[in-house]
RNA sequence: GUGGGCGUAGCUCAGUUGGUUAGAGCUCCGGAUUGUGAUUCCGGAGGUCGUGGGUUCGAGUCCCAUCGUCCACCCCA
């Protein structure tokens, strides 16, 4: 069977028309993260499988059944990263960034999860990641959450709900876990199959279940927040106060437990009702034990991962402004002399005005069809250079968007004229 | 991994109870006095009807399989 050559299932191309939104998002994100003093970290897409097993957790779905794992030619067990935090921590430890110091970093790139694709869920997707290390106080929890809020503001997207919870210290969590298991065990026969399995492996995830019968049981379960030790409770209150001071609204969701094992204390999720079932756009939390768990010095950390595809979808849905990437001008040229002159002129213009986006007609065609191309390109102005104009060293400048009548402009004055017209 | 919807021109779709050369709109290309777009008029290009089997005198239309896609479960960003 000859199979048509096509992209791998769940892995999408981003076409030029859509890339404008991506570029805009990256530009704004880099600016916002930079404004908070976060530096970019660039990491490999492939890591040792062991890293994710130890960081994310051996019994999580992500590691158990969603990783792209393989052996390379040397027999190493490697995986495409299913998330970014583990790699960030690995790099931090490896390069000594986490020894007794603070680090604020961000990271972006593709991540991979072998899942059944659906709206907002792909096998290769992209995340923006923000992480802060070496700061145990709740002010950094607030800062990290505020960064996301700032990003929404700068992008002009809205309608999020910030859900907040605390998992407490590992000790508190262990204690709570025991209480929860004891409670749930009493109803074991009434639980759904998944939940019964998780009772042994990862009981907190049962809280998250959507099965009605299980939810009923969960409703009467001991509450995590009631089991917080004094330190955790104080920390959580401080986070809430800090968010309140910044005017960031939130709701406490006691069932928010997150699917990755490394979280402690604060966990949060920015969700929206506009994306269907995959409603989490940005999620994260504190992971005070992770660095040590991966062989580094005991170092507190907190961060979030943000789904770029989901955010891009929201931007489109809410029609938030995205600067266009169309050319400013389309240069029409015809006649042997004029074509050569136009080619030189175009180079000069681009050199003198690096911000100018100029498409030079190629492939010939009559003026009519060239102007058609100019119009379709989305350019604001057309430059027209035929042999008549060339003989006088001028070009015709013609608005394609009803911004005044065509006029002739000398080659010498053209750069200044374009700057004026385009507001470069 | 489970369940359901859908796969006909680049795009959005129509194709009557299976029946002669598979249609429309948009896009694209060309033309309407030889150098002026987006409007109008005329013309043109473009499809092995996802793929492979099967039923039939005959299948885009029915059956099976397969791939893809969409949505939900699950999981998460």
């Amino acid at each position: 069977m000859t199979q048509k050559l096509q992209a791998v299932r769940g892995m999408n191309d981003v076409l030029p028309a859509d890339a404008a939104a991506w570029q805009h998002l990256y530009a704004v994100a880099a600016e916002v993260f930079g404004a908070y003093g976060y530096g970019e970290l660039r990491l490999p897409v492939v890591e040792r499988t062991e890293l994710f097993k130890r960081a994310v957790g051996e019994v999580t779905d992500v590691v158990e059944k969603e990783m792209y794992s393989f052996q390379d030619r040397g027999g190493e067990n490697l995986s495409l990263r299913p998330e970014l935090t583990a790699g960030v921590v690995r790099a931090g430890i490896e390069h000594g960034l986490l020894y007794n110091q603070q680090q604020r970093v961000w990271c972006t790139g593709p991540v991979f999860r072998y899942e059944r694709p659906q709206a907002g869920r792909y096998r290769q997707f992209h995340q923006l990641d923000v992480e802060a290390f070496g700061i145990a106080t709740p002010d950094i929890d607030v800062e990290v959450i505020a960064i996301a809020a700032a990003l929404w503001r700068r992008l002009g997207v809205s309608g999020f709900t910030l859900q907040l919870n605390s998992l407490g210290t590992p000790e508190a969590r262990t204690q709570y876990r025991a209480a929860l298991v004891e409670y749930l065990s009493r109803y074991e026969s009434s639980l759904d199959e998944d939940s019964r399995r998780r009772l042994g492996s990862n009981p907190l995830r049962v809280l998250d279940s959507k099965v009605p019968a299980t939810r009923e049981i969960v409703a009467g379960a001991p509450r995590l927040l009631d089991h917080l030790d004094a330190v955790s409770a104080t920390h959580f209150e401080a986070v809430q106060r800090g968010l309140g001071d910044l005017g960031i609204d939130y709701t406490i969701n006691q069932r928010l437990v997150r699917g990755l094992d490394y979280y402690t204390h604060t966990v949060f999720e920015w969700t929206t009702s506009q994306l269907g079932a995959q409603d989490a756009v940005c999620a994260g939390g504190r992971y005070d034990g992770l660095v040590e768990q991966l062989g580094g010095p005991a170092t507190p950390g907190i961060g979030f991962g943000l789904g770029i595809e989901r955010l891009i979808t929201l931007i489109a849905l809410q029609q938030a402004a995205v600067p266009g990437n169309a050319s400013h001008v389309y240069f029409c040229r015809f006649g042997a002399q004029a074509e050569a002159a136009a080619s030189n002129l175009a180079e000069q213009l681009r050199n003198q005005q690096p911000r100018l986006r100029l498409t030079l007609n190629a492939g010939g065609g009559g003026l009519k069809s060239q102007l058609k191309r100019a119009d379709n390109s989305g350019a604001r102005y057309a430059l027209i250079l035929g042999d008549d104009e060339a003989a006088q060293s001028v070009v015709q400048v013609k608005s394609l968007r009803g911004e005044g009548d065509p006029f002739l402009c000398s080659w010498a004055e053209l750069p200044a004229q374009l700057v004026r017209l385009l507001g470069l």
Side-chain angles (χ1 to χ4, degrees):
Chain A
M1 178 171 43
T2 50
Q3 231 190 359
K4 209 163 43 167
L5 221 42
Q6 56 192 352
V8 173
R9 185 170 165 78
M11 304 199 181
N12 303 121
D13 303 311
V14 177
L15 274 18
D18 302 316
W22 284 70
Q23 291 179 346
H24 178 237
L25 173 52
Y26 278 125
V28 171
E31 213 173 283
V32 169
F33 299 158
Y36 282 83
Y38 287 66
E40 185 180 3
L41 193 59
R42 298 198 177 208
L43 302 175
V45 168
V46 176
E47 299 273 0
R48 288 203 159 74
T49 300
E50 186 62 18
L51 171 64
F52 302 115
K53 286 191 177 171
R54 283 171 59 186
V56 176
E58 196 113 36
V59 295
T60 57
D61 282 14
V62 168
V63 167
E64 261 180 349
K65 47 192 189 191
E66 295 176 1
M67 283 215 291
Y68 280 89
S69 297
F70 60 96
Q71 281 195 344
D72 71 5
R73 289 170 189 279
E76 298 255 39
N77 290 311
L78 306 177
S79 292
L80 302 183
R81 43 147 80 146
E83 57 110 52
L84 296 177
T85 303
V88 171
V89 172
R90 190 230 84 220
I93 295 171
E94 189 169 335
H95 297 98
L97 303 180
L98 305 180
Y99 283 85
N100 201 24
Q101 52 186 308
Q102 299 183 352
Q103 288 292 345
R104 288 176 167 93
V105 297
W106 67 276
C107 181
T108 186
V111 295
F112 302 83
R113 257 118 98 158
Y114 189 87
E115 298 184 89
R116 188 90 168 259
Q118 71 181 71
R121 190 171 78 181
Y122 311 105
R123 289 184 171 180
Q124 174 177 331
F125 62 104
H126 298 76
Q127 289 193 339
L128 279 166
D129 215 51
V130 165
E131 316 281 358
F133 296 96
I135 305 167
T137 48
D139 49 359
I140 195 68
D141 303 37
V142 174
E143 176 175 293
V144 164
I145 293 172
I147 289 175
L151 190 57
W152 311 149
R153 202 161 49 238
R154 283 290 312 276
L155 290 169
V157 291
S158 56
F160 290 106
T161 303
L162 171 60
Q163 306 201 45
L164 203 62
N165 195 17
S166 174
L167 303 178
T169 59
E171 297 74 39
R173 199 167 156 185
T174 307
Q175 201 180 47
Y176 171 70
R177 188 183 155 123
L180 182 65
V181 170
E182 191 202 310
Y183 170 83
L184 291 176
S185 298
R186 279 185 263 148
Y187 301 91
E188 187 166 352
S189 57
S190 312
L191 292 173
D192 62 282
E193 200 186 310
D194 276 338
S195 294
R196 231 175 298 149
R197 186 171 52 80
R198 289 197 180 112
L199 194 50
S201 58
N202 200 347
L204 294 209
R205 304 273 315 134
V206 177
L207 296 177
D208 222 8
S209 173
K210 287 180 189 163
V211 178
T214 301
R215 283 186 91 133
E216 259 178 62
I217 296 167
V218 165
R223 290 166 167 273
L224 206 156
L225 292 184
D226 296 335
H227 282 71
L228 289 187
D229 53 288
V231 175
S232 299
T234 306
H235 184 102
F236 192 42
E237 280 159 22
V239 171
Q240 294 175 60
R241 202 161 46 240
L243 290 174
D245 288 346
L246 292 179
I248 297 173
D249 294 332
Y250 59 88
T251 58
I252 291 180
N253 177 357
Q254 301 228 27
R255 287 182 288 103
L256 181 66
V257 294
R258 316 286 309 126
L260 279 41
D261 276 359
Y262 50 60
Y263 289 113
T264 57
H265 289 291
T266 314
V267 290
F268 59 91
E269 223 171 76
W270 292 89
T271 59
T272 171
S273 58
Q274 296 177 59
L275 292 180
Q278 310 303 316
D279 62 354
V281 174
C282 172
R286 191 168 262 286
Y287 45 82
D288 287 347
L290 181 59
V291 176
E292 193 173 15
Q293 190 184 314
L294 293 180
T299 306
I302 178 165
F304 66 71
L306 177 160
I308 291 180
E309 282 83 353
R310 291 181 186 179
L311 187 52
I312 295 274
T313 306
L314 263 189
I315 288 173
L317 233 45
Q318 300 186 1
Q319 300 181 326
V322 172
N325 59 354
S327 271
H328 297 117
V329 293
Y330 189 99
F331 204 153
C332 305
R333 51 170 176 163
F334 50 93
Q337 286 178 24
E339 287 189 21
S343 176
N344 279 312
L345 202 46
E347 288 298 319
Q348 282 176 37
L349 287 169
R350 295 194 193 101
N351 282 333
Q352 288 170 30
Q353 288 301 328
R355 305 190 57 179
L356 174 69
R357 292 193 299 269
L358 182 150
T359 302
L360 178 62
N361 185 73
L367 178 55
K368 197 185 186 88
S369 67
Q370 291 195 36
L371 277 169
K372 213 171 234 180
R373 286 176 201 156
D375 190 29
N376 286 345
S377 77
R380 269 174 78 184
Y381 289 91
L383 297 180
I384 300 171
L385 181 55
D387 286 340
D388 291 355
E389 286 85 357
Q392 305 172 57
S393 297
V394 297
V395 288
Q396 187 188 144
V397 179
K398 178 188 170 91
S399 167
L400 298 168
R401 313 292 155 203
E403 300 174 278
D405 294 325
F407 61 93
L408 293 175
C409 177
S410 75
W411 294 353
E413 288 169 3
L414 194 52
Q417 193 62 258
L418 288 178
V419 167
R420 188 180 64 78
L421 288 173
L422 297 166
L424 290 177

